[in-house]
Amino acid sequence: MTTYRLASIGGDGVGPEVTAAARTVLDAVARRDGFGVEWLDVVAGGAAIDAYGTAFRPEDLDAVAACDAILLGAVGGPRWDDPAARVRPEQALFALRGGLELFANLRPVTILPALVPSSPVRPEVLEGVDLLIVRELTSGLYFGRPSEQRETPEGRVGIDTLWYTEGEIRRVVRLAFELARGRRRRLTSVDKANVLATSRLWRTVVDELRGEYADVEVNHQLVDSCAMLLVRRPASFDVLVTENLFGDILSDEAAVLAGSLGMLPSASLGERRTAHGRFGLYEPIHGSAPDIAGHDLANPAGTILSAAMLLRWSLGLEAAAAGVEAAVGAAIADGYRTADLVPPDGDRAGLHVVGTREMTAAIVERLDAHRDARLDARPGPRVGSGAA
Ligand code: IPM
Ligand code: MG
């Protein structure tokens, strides 16, 4: 029996609840399909600040790097929000992303038909939406130095540095091209080339790579107009590739299309491969939601769908991954909704409004019926299919 080693980082707020949900699903898939999962629990974020005085311990980086993949909930919360603090929960994310060189963050956005009423966007606009945001994750403003406040004769000054090397751009753009090849072969590169030097370099590197991917149609889009088009004509996008901060912002915007931030998964990948697939870190795109933490209210779908990406990308278990995605879709189709998914007009007719645990149970119950979901009819190419 193959046994996979997975690191589990619950983190803060709703993080531990949604991570537990995804673990329940992965353990159920493992029992069903006859593989083993050995979990390594790691403390990070605010919880680690409380326990160790630091958001992420260097020795834990070695420990998680030795696993096949990492499942992460969320970090952060008001308790650690002091702007003057030197130690902040988010440093754990940057230690993991940067320390493990996970430079490409994949954020797929698909719309489950039953969730169309949950989105404030009109149904006809949501028709055919199936996009993938590829966000650069280990450079840009998040990592540029200096990043600090200074006392100057003009008063306090805040400085952040936007920095990209051509190598950093090339590796993530290349992966985006490869992903576009496995999908509808359309790549939108998002930048602010009319203002930023880094964006002009970004655009040049994309154009240099085009020749190698002549079968992929490339568009350059300025980030401001892209933000508008994402809600006006979201179905026109296939793969979007962009720098770190733009990707952070655009992916929260795109989540509105899917009905809730709580639905969206992500995979953070680098070059490194394990015996089974690419090493990666998997987390929902929502944050720690401290206001609802501990009340069994969080939507576990984003983390469970992240676990599906883990099965696909890090363990090479495509059928199991598609099966988890289908089971989530089936639970939603059968009317199960966490509070975030109740339509804006509050119409609950035919819906079972449930908590995190009941939603998870509804998904687990549907796993057997979707054992090999590759056979299920699903329109459009699947995210990650035939990829790099
Ligand atoms: C995300 C989050 C993080 C980010 C925060 C929590 C630092 O918003 O993963 O999208 O900005 O990268
Ligand atoms: Mg974000």
Side-chain angles (χ1 to χ4, degrees):
M1 182 175 83
T2 309
T3 294
Y4 302 103
R5 297 197 64 220
L6 301 179
S8 170
I9 306 178
D12 309 315
V14 298
E17 293 165 79
V18 294
T19 308
R23 281 174 65 152
T24 302
V25 171
L26 283 174
D27 287 336
V29 171
R31 274 196 303 277
R32 185 196 67 185
D33 292 355
F35 62 85
V37 178
E38 202 181 294
W39 290 100
L40 171 72
D41 279 290
V42 175
V43 181
I49 294 177
D50 292 349
Y52 317 123
T54 178
F56 197 70
R57 298 186 304 176
E59 61 261 46
D60 287 332
L61 193 67
D62 298 334
V64 299
C67 293
D68 292 307
I70 307 166
L71 182 69
L72 188 145
V75 299
R79 274 184 47 212
W80 307 280
D81 257 356
D82 176 5
R86 293 186 62 81
V87 184
R88 285 174 293 108
E90 293 75 12
Q91 289 162 346
L93 292 180
F94 311 140
L96 284 159
R97 295 169 179 178
L100 300 167
E101 286 194 83
L102 302 171
F103 60 81
N105 182 225
L106 279 46
R107 298 187 163 188
V109 182
T110 48
I111 319 284
L112 293 172
L115 289 185
V116 168
S118 303
S119 174
V121 176
R122 284 205 310 276
E124 59 271 27
V125 176
L126 296 176
E127 187 105 6
V129 171
D130 179 8
L131 60 90
L132 172 65
I133 297 176
V134 180
R135 168 188 176 193
E136 199 290 325
L137 203 61
T138 51
S139 185
L141 282 166
Y142 281 68
F143 288 86
R145 294 289 174 270
S147 172
E148 62 195 37
Q149 288 189 34
R150 287 181 195 160
E151 302 285 344
T152 75
E154 293 93 283
R156 285 167 297 171
V157 172
I159 305 162
D160 291 293
T161 304
L162 180 49
W163 164 284
Y164 267 103
T165 68
E166 59 175 309
E168 288 167 342
I169 300 169
R170 196 173 296 116
R171 62 188 183 178
V172 69
V173 170
R174 195 177 274 291
L175 180 64
F177 266 113
E178 298 284 347
L179 289 164
R181 270 199 170 150
R183 296 172 45 101
R184 299 198 303 283
R185 296 173 187 265
R186 287 217 303 273
L187 180 66
T188 305
S189 173
V190 184
D191 63 35
K192 188 73 183 171
N194 52 348
V195 180
L196 302 173
T198 45
S199 281
R200 288 190 287 273
L201 178 62
W202 185 283
R203 213 173 254 225
T204 304
V205 170
V206 171
D207 286 336
E208 285 165 0
L209 283 172
R210 282 173 100 135
E212 288 178 48
Y213 299 92
D215 53 325
V216 177
E217 182 192 316
V218 180
N219 280 300
H220 295 289
Q221 190 81 53
L222 294 172
V223 63
D224 47 355
S225 75
C226 181
M228 183 187 66
L229 286 171
L230 261 179
V231 284
R232 283 190 80 147
R233 284 194 281 117
S236 67
F237 293 104
D238 180 15
V239 177
L240 295 97
V241 63
T242 191
E243 64 97 46
N244 205 340
L245 183 64
F246 295 163
D248 177 47
I249 297 168
L250 292 179
S251 54
D252 270 28
E253 184 193 4
V256 174
L257 306 168
S260 165
L261 197 56
M263 290 303 297
L264 290 208
S266 87
S268 302
L269 307 173
E271 306 285 10
R272 188 157 73 83
R273 287 170 192 274
T274 66
H276 313 291
R278 264 181 201 262
F279 180 76
L281 179 147
Y282 301 84
E283 55 178 320
I285 85 157
H286 65 71
S288 59
D291 49 325
I292 60 164
H295 295 290
D296 192 43
L297 283 170
N299 183 353
T303 317
I304 291 170
L305 292 170
S306 301
M309 294 184 88
L310 184 158
L311 289 166
R312 170 174 297 126
W313 284 94
S314 288
L315 306 187
L317 301 173
E318 171 58 35
V324 170
E325 287 160 353
V328 171
I332 299 277
D334 290 344
Y336 287 88
R337 297 287 185 279
T338 42
D340 56 308
L341 296 173
V342 173
D345 64 8
D347 183 6
R348 296 174 175 228
L351 300 184
H352 316 292
V353 181
V354 294
T356 313
R357 283 197 286 267
E358 245 187 290
M359 182 62 124
T360 307
I363 292 166
V364 169
E365 270 166 32
R366 285 158 180 77
L367 283 173
D368 280 339
H370 299 277
R371 190 187 183 105
D372 191 349
R374 286 175 303 182
L375 306 176
D376 292 6
R378 203 189 123 180
R382 185 164 286 125
V383 168
S385 53

